[in-house]
């Protein structure tokens, strides 16, 4: 196989196609259906996804919940503004964070948020310049965070989000993500009920999405790219649903690259999903053989990103880039609040 380069996954994307706001009706977004055998693309609306689902299929959804992880505060000694982004809880009140400006956040620096409702001290500098911070507060941390924190929207979204819940799937359950599993944003309660009534099963996995999902691939040779690590969990109930679907000839349809990475990480060599939890650094790019997934529902991703590479592993690079060019021509909306694609 020829060496894969980052530049092989480049496509031209006009800035104005990056969706800045969610649609009023989640399921009114557009849907490009890509046939991975023929490379043919069809254009629909997301509600019409039910026409591509069959009784006996299993939809795999990531039920992680985004925390309002962006805190704006000040340094206690100088009053200088500082921004803290919560990345990962290390223990109780100690978090690994991204601090801007980082140079001002040396160990020992004390910070204050919301007029002192939440206080913090920088403990250490860890890999990639992230800071370990210990928080101090009264009451319940999640409630304080809900009051003071903002949703950590991706860097390419410049508009302020009016309703926090719009960067949350309707089935979000377990707090821990710094970014939403955006393919799931298109589902409404009504659409999910309709899908279940059709005889399609829904299985839930949890993968807490880290900000590494937005980190650009720096190495031109893909094999030199170090994939970020994310925590996932698969229950026995989900395992039984997915394995049962495969045994009965149904299709496993993952909603989003995070659900895909979870089931592929949790599967053994025979393609049977095993229950458990852990960290995954799985990097899926062309040449990868899928063990569990049959179809994928996903959004439109950044040029040269690991997510475009994952979709290309499933549908073929040429097919994907051709579909993306068509999406640009048809003025589809891109990225987190954008339109969706179904790969069958």
């Amino acid at each position: 196989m020829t060496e894969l380069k980052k530049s092989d996954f480049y496509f031209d994307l006009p800035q104005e196609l990056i969706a800045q706001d969610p649609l009023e009706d989640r399921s009114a977004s557009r849907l490009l259906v890509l046939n991975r055998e023929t490379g043919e693309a069809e254009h629909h609306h997301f509600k019409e996804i039910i026409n591509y689902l069959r009784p006996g299929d299993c939809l795999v959804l990531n039920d992680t919940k985004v925390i309002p992880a962006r805190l704006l505060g000040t340094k206690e000694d100088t009053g200088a503004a500082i921004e803290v982004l919560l990345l990962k809880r290390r223990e109780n009140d100690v978090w690994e964070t991204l601090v801007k400006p980082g140079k001002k956040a040396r160990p020992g620096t004390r910070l204050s948020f919301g007029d002192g409702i939440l206080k913090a001290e920088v403990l250490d500098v860890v890999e990639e310049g992230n800071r370990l911070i210990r928080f101090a507060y009264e009451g319940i941390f999640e409630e304080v965070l809900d009051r003071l924190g903002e949703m950590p929207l991706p860097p390419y979204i410049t508009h302020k989000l009016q309703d926090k819940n719009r960067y949350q799937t309707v089935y979000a359950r377990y707090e821990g993500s710094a970014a939403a599993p955006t393919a799931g944003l298109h589902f409404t309660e009504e659409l999910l009920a309709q899908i279940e009534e059709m005889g399609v099963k829904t299985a839930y996995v949890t993968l807490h999405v880290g900000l590494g999902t937005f980190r650009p691939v720096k190495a031109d040779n893909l094999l030199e790219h170090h994939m970020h690590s994310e925590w996932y969990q698969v229950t026995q109930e989900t395992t039984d649903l997915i394995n049962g679907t495969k045994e009965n000839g149904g299709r496993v349809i993952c909603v989003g690259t995070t659900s895909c990475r979870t089931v592929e990480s949790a599967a053994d060599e025979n393609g049977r999903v095993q229950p458990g939890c852990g960290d995954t650094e799985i990097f899926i790019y062309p040449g990868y053989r899928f063990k569990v997934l049959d179809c994928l529902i996903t959004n439109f991703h950044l040029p040269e990103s690991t997510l475009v590479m994952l979709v290309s592993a499933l549908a073929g690079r040429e097919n994907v880039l051709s579909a993306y060019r068509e999406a640009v021509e048809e003025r589809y909306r891109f990225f987190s609040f954008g339109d969706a694609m179904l790969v069958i």
Side-chain angles (χ1 to χ4, degrees):
M1 190 172 164
T2 53
E3 182 187 289
L4 281 173
K5 290 187 158 50
K6 175 178 82 166
S7 49
D8 293 337
F9 299 89
Y10 179 79
F11 62 91
D12 204 25
L13 179 68
Q15 193 75 17
E16 71 269 16
L17 294 186
I18 299 172
Q20 292 294 330
D21 303 288
L23 294 179
E24 205 156 310
D25 171 8
R26 289 173 183 264
S27 61
S29 47
R30 292 162 80 190
L31 177 71
L32 186 150
V33 180
L34 174 62
N35 182 316
R36 57 187 165 129
E37 299 302 322
T38 65
E40 228 172 296
E42 294 175 16
H43 304 284
H44 297 277
H45 282 95
F46 195 80
K47 289 184 177 76
E48 296 168 77
I49 197 145
I50 56 171
N51 299 333
Y52 291 91
L53 303 176
R54 306 196 283 253
D57 286 344
C58 180
L59 213 52
V60 183
L61 305 153
N62 181 6
D63 59 12
T64 186
K65 196 169 191 180
V66 187
I67 56 173
R70 186 169 175 248
L71 289 163
L72 303 173
T74 54
K75 283 181 65 187
E76 282 195 352
D77 54 353
T78 64
I82 205 140
E83 178 182 324
V84 172
L85 204 52
L86 305 180
L87 298 178
K88 199 182 258 182
R89 186 178 233 145
R90 287 292 189 90
E91 53 185 82
N92 298 340
D93 295 323
V94 177
W95 285 76
E96 184 177 332
T97 67
L98 191 63
V99 179
K100 286 188 213 166
K103 290 190 180 70
K104 302 271 173 76
R106 296 188 181 91
T109 304
R110 292 178 181 277
L111 312 172
S112 173
F113 308 91
D115 296 329
I117 292 172
L118 181 63
K119 295 195 171 218
E121 183 186 350
V122 179
L123 302 179
D124 200 2
V125 181
V126 290
E127 60 179 321
E128 294 182 19
N130 293 346
R131 277 17 185 204
L132 281 191
I133 287 183
R134 180 184 287 118
F135 289 98
Y137 51 90
E138 281 184 15
I140 297 166
F141 183 70
E142 282 72 16
E143 287 176 6
V144 174
L145 195 59
D146 209 42
R147 212 166 127 196
L148 301 180
E150 293 181 7
M151 280 299 185
L153 292 179
Y156 45 75
I157 292 178
T158 54
H159 291 192
K160 197 167 165 56
L161 185 62
Q162 299 308 316
D163 174 5
K164 270 185 194 174
N165 286 329
R166 291 312 309 274
Y167 193 56
Q168 218 61 286
T169 60
V170 295
Y171 48 81
R173 241 177 111 189
Y174 299 107
E175 295 187 323
S177 275
T182 54
L185 295 177
H186 306 282
F187 287 93
T188 59
E189 308 262 9
E190 296 74 29
L191 188 55
L192 284 169
Q194 216 179 336
I195 287 167
E196 288 211 36
E197 276 164 31
M198 288 173 60
V200 175
K201 301 181 200 70
T202 43
Y204 292 92
V205 296
T206 308
L207 179 135
H208 291 326
V209 190
L211 285 181
T213 192
F214 303 118
R215 193 180 298 144
V217 176
K218 292 200 175 90
D220 198 40
N221 177 356
L222 291 200
L223 301 181
E224 290 167 18
H225 175 66
H226 176 64
M227 197 68 178
H228 56 284
S229 163
E230 291 170 321
W231 184 88
Y232 74 90
Q233 180 164 10
V234 181
T235 63
Q236 184 67 57
E237 185 187 357
T238 288
T239 303
D240 294 343
L241 273 171
I242 294 173
N243 292 338
T245 298
K246 295 297 264 189
E247 282 159 20
N248 295 323
R251 297 172 304 170
V252 172
I253 301 163
C254 288
V255 176
T257 54
T258 61
S259 301
C260 163
R261 292 179 68 235
T262 304
V263 298
E264 292 295 316
S265 298
D268 63 20
E269 282 317 302
N270 304 317
R272 286 187 68 77
V273 177
Q274 303 296 329
C277 62
D279 291 305
T280 178
E281 292 181 359
I282 191 169
F283 180 17
I284 297 176
Y285 53 87
Y288 179 84
R289 290 185 59 150
F290 287 87
K291 296 180 281 200
V292 182
L293 170 141
D294 296 299
C295 307
L296 177 69
I297 298 168
T298 186
N299 276 22
F300 289 92
H301 305 292
L302 279 80
E304 300 186 330
S305 63
T306 58
L307 306 177
V308 165
M309 294 165 192
L310 183 153
V311 181
S312 299
L314 179 64
R317 187 179 69 93
E318 290 302 329
N319 288 346
V320 170
L321 291 179
S322 161
Y324 269 54
R325 281 193 293 273
E326 207 170 309
V328 168
E329 273 165 36
E330 296 284 336
R331 314 294 288 168
Y332 272 66
R333 299 160 77 248
F334 275 67
F335 306 164
S336 300
F337 288 140
D339 295 316
M341 178 192 252
L342 166 65
V343 180
I344 52 171

